Amino acid sequence: MNPFVSRRQLLQSTSLGSIALASLLHEPAEAGRTPEESPLSQQSPHFPARVKRVIHLFMNGGPSQMDTFDRKPELNRLDGKPLPDSVKKQLQPTQRNRAGNLFGSPFQFKRYGECGLEVSELFPNVARHADDLCVIRSMQGEIANHTPGLLLTNCGHSTLPRPSLGSWLLYGLGNESDELPGFVVLCPRGLPTAQSRNWTSAFMPGVYQGTHIDTENTGKQIVANLTRDDVRPGSQRAQLALTQFLNQRHAAQRPGDERLESRIHTMELAFRMQSAGTDAFDLSQEPAHIRELYGETTQGRNMLYARRLAERGVRYIQCYHGGGQPWDNHGSIVRNITRLAKESDQPIAALLTDLKQRGMLDETLVIWGGEMGRTPTVQQVKDPTKVGRDHHIDGYTVWMAGGGVRGGMTYGATDELAMAVTENKVTMPDFHATVLHQLGFDHKRLTYRYSGRDFRLTDVHGRVIDTILNS
């Protein structure tokens, strides 16, 4: 007898224990699957979906809303003036102590498209897609710091471990591809703040977790160890078959061990990825005019990888601008945001153009934004020539395109100084509920039972923002 027996196994070993365990755990088949099915088998959503996939362009660090997609003429008029005390006292204490004078945007805005959307000169290429963009100017966060903001945006909770949005999609829909992960995270030059917690499956099985790839790697294998030159494919298949046989025998003695089941599934997927993964990340297959459209840059490759993964069935693709928090411009914001926008403007516009030309934009929801915005004031710095903006969560901007979202419109508004939401506040549960809706889910019904409770991405909050959706 195995001396190391878990309480679950002990309960399962007796008939009364089995009844008690079923009663205590109350674990129904997940997402409509039978116990015999793969945890990634394809499932139907609650109602017909408007989109098949999501590409999330994450400007980690927090882009400045009044310098990009939320023009504030009054702020420019008051540039250099002190922030009124009545407004200053509304700030969180940390931001209040660091807030300097008002800082108008140094960038010019123009109207674009039939809708007349005002966009900063920082994004001239994205602006050409104005009639496809739905710009939400009234996002609100919870805690004005990066880790809580990232976790709230990705996982729906700013502090507690929760499954990420991509994990919820895999859990609810399954994987469309048998040869690629359904949830892929592209981040050049390392990891974002909060690292793998941004794409965790938390208490869900590990098969729903995101697969991180550092796209700065331009060597032979962008995915490390994906292929081996020292073993022939037939021999490797035989090695994997033996390993899987031993793993499955091991698992049979430990029923319900989700970590072991996830490892077995991952090994098999890794073997199948050797051809599909190599193909997906081989940009030499793209014609020269497409590579030129995106640009031969890190961000250009990131966006092109995203499109290639999308057309190969990956459900959720997240593209971070880079490791750490590059858009966190506490200092030298004019120089830094100019560089960051220049790096990303052409590739993002190319992605929208490419998806549209291929007939994929209608079934792909593209999201742009960060975990927060920036203050309309100068952050107090020693060198006045290197001014920046502080964190701001009381009214910031994101945009969406494609995926059944109404293009050529703005939703919500902030006051004339970009300090607070004055119209149509959008919380992250609202945003998540809307994304899930476009993928065919009622956010209140997409649940996962853990520790005696039915959890959901939006917790006990959230509303679908019907106004921004095509009827």
Side-chain angles (χ1 to χ4, degrees), residues 50-213:
R50 296 298 302 267
V51 298
K52 292 182 178 180
R53 66 192 72 87
V54 176
I55 300 178
H56 187 179
L57 311 179
F58 210 119
M59 307 300 107
N60 43 318
S64 172
Q65 66 276 14
M66 71 286 297
D67 293 314
T68 54
F69 295 96
D70 191 7
R71 176 174 172 261
K72 294 298 178 185
E74 183 65 10
L75 177 62
N76 280 21
R77 190 182 71 81
L78 297 174
D79 181 51
K81 298 287 174 63
L83 182 66
D85 289 339
S86 60
V87 177
K88 195 170 186 177
K89 69 180 182 181
Q90 299 174 20
L91 296 175
Q92 294 192 6
T94 302
Q95 280 65 46
R96 187 186 311 139
N97 296 334
R98 299 193 300 211
N101 291 341
L102 291 168
F103 179 26
S105 177
F107 304 105
Q108 299 298 311
F109 280 69
K110 288 175 56 178
R111 293 188 179 275
Y112 290 86
E114 294 182 7
C115 63
L117 178 68
E118 290 184 302
V119 181
S120 163
E121 63 181 293
L122 290 171
F123 287 99
N125 292 296
V126 171
R128 297 191 183 102
H129 293 273
D131 291 328
D132 295 315
L133 304 184
C134 173
V135 179
I136 300 175
R137 293 172 171 166
S138 53
M139 292 295 304
Q140 279 197 341
E142 293 179 355
I143 301 174
N145 212 340
H146 295 288
T147 294
L150 282 157
L151 296 180
L152 178 66
T153 305
N154 286 316
C155 306
H157 202 289
S158 58
T159 54
L160 299 177
R162 292 289 186 268
S164 56
L165 173 56
S167 296
W168 280 104
L169 296 187
L170 275 190
Y171 164 67
L173 292 173
N175 197 358
E176 189 176 347
S177 171
D178 292 329
E179 299 181 325
L180 290 170
F183 176 13
V184 176
V185 178
L186 308 176
C187 184
R189 299 182 292 276
L191 297 168
T193 299
Q195 303 182 343
S196 61
R197 284 185 290 168
N198 289 298
W199 49 87
T200 180
S201 59
F203 45 71
M204 286 185 180
V207 292
Y208 300 127
Q209 180 161 306
T211 298
H212 166 254
I213 297 171

Side-chain angles (χ1 to χ4, degrees), residues 8 21-31 163 168 171 203-205 258 445-456:
R8 177 192 289 250
L21 185 68
S23 174
L24 287 171
L25 297 182
H26 183 54
E27 292 177 345
E30 295 173 3
W168 280 104
Y171 164 67
F203 45 71
M204 286 185 180
E258 294 176 347
R445 294 168 53 200
L446 183 62
T447 61
Y448 186 90
R449 177 158 284 266
Y450 172 72
S451 192
R453 176 189 166 190
D454 288 330
F455 284 85
R456 70 187 210 212

Side-chain angles (χ1 to χ4, degrees), residues 101-415:
N101 291 341
L102 291 168
F103 179 26
S105 177
F107 304 105
Q108 299 298 311
F109 280 69
K110 288 175 56 178
R111 293 188 179 275
Y112 290 86
E114 294 182 7
C115 63
L117 178 68
E118 290 184 302
V119 181
S120 163
E121 63 181 293
L122 290 171
F123 287 99
N125 292 296
V126 171
R128 297 191 183 102
H129 293 273
D131 291 328
D132 295 315
L133 304 184
C134 173
V135 179
I136 300 175
R137 293 172 171 166
S138 53
M139 292 295 304
Q140 279 197 341
E142 293 179 355
I143 301 174
N145 212 340
H146 295 288
T147 294
L150 282 157
L151 296 180
L152 178 66
T153 305
N154 286 316
C155 306
H157 202 289
S158 58
T159 54
L160 299 177
R162 292 289 186 268
S164 56
L165 173 56
S167 296
W168 280 104
L169 296 187
L170 275 190
Y171 164 67
L173 292 173
N175 197 358
E176 189 176 347
S177 171
D178 292 329
E179 299 181 325
L180 290 170
F183 176 13
V184 176
V185 178
L186 308 176
C187 184
R189 299 182 292 276
L191 297 168
T193 299
Q195 303 182 343
S196 61
R197 284 185 290 168
N198 289 298
W199 49 87
T200 180
S201 59
F203 45 71
M204 286 185 180
V207 292
Y208 300 127
Q209 180 161 306
T211 298
H212 166 254
I213 297 171
D214 186 339
T215 50
E216 183 71 0
N217 180 8
T218 57
K220 182 179 179 181
Q221 293 188 44
I222 189 170
V223 182
N225 305 313
L226 186 61
T227 59
R228 294 177 59 184
D229 296 329
D230 59 329
V231 180
R232 290 178 298 178
S235 299
Q236 191 177 18
R237 176 73 265 185
Q239 288 179 355
L240 180 62
L242 174 60
T243 304
Q244 294 291 69
F245 168 75
L246 295 173
N247 280 338
Q248 287 166 359
R249 188 171 71 172
H250 189 65
Q253 299 171 359
R254 296 159 180 80
D257 189 333
E258 294 176 347
R259 294 173 299 176
L260 183 55
E261 292 169 357
S262 296
R263 182 173 298 178
I264 293 172
H265 176 86
T266 300
M267 290 181 66
E268 184 64 39
L269 176 61
F271 180 80
R272 295 194 299 269
M273 275 184 65
Q274 291 184 71
S275 58
T278 303
D279 171 76
F281 290 99
D282 182 6
L283 300 187
S284 67
Q285 298 180 16
E286 294 289 336
H289 74 277
I290 292 295
R291 297 199 302 272
E292 183 180 348
L293 178 69
Y294 284 86
E296 296 287 349
T297 65
T298 297
Q299 296 302 318
R301 289 190 295 271
N302 228 29
M303 297 301 114
L304 188 47
Y305 288 140
R307 192 223 78 206
R308 289 177 64 83
L309 291 169
E311 64 186 352
R312 285 163 173 77
V314 178
R315 297 275 190 201
Y316 190 76
I317 305 148
Q318 197 166 40
C319 301
Y320 287 85
H321 192 101
Q325 45 209 45
W327 287 80
D328 187 28
N329 300 146
H330 290 279
S332 302
I333 188 170
V334 176
R335 182 185 71 221
N336 288 332
I337 199 173
T338 300
R339 172 181 54 81
L340 293 163
K342 185 176 181 180
E343 291 173 357
S344 57
D345 177 46
Q346 178 185 340
I348 293 173
L351 175 65
L352 296 175
T353 298
D354 203 8
L355 290 173
K356 203 167 188 178
Q357 289 175 346
R358 294 169 187 269
M360 295 175 60
L361 187 58
D362 287 343
E363 56 187 27
T364 304
L365 181 61
V366 180
I367 301 170
W368 178 95
E371 70 272 27
M372 60 179 68
R374 315 303 300 184
T375 59
T377 57
V378 172
Q379 183 171 344
Q380 299 285 20
V381 292
K382 293 181 180 179
D383 186 346
T385 66
K386 298 181 179 179
V387 298
R389 299 188 189 276
D390 204 354
H391 304 167
H392 190 67
I393 59 170
D394 296 322
Y396 62 99
T397 296
V398 303
W399 58 253
M400 297 191 285
V405 172
R406 289 177 56 195
M409 71 167 293
T410 61
Y411 181 83
T414 52
D415 60 36

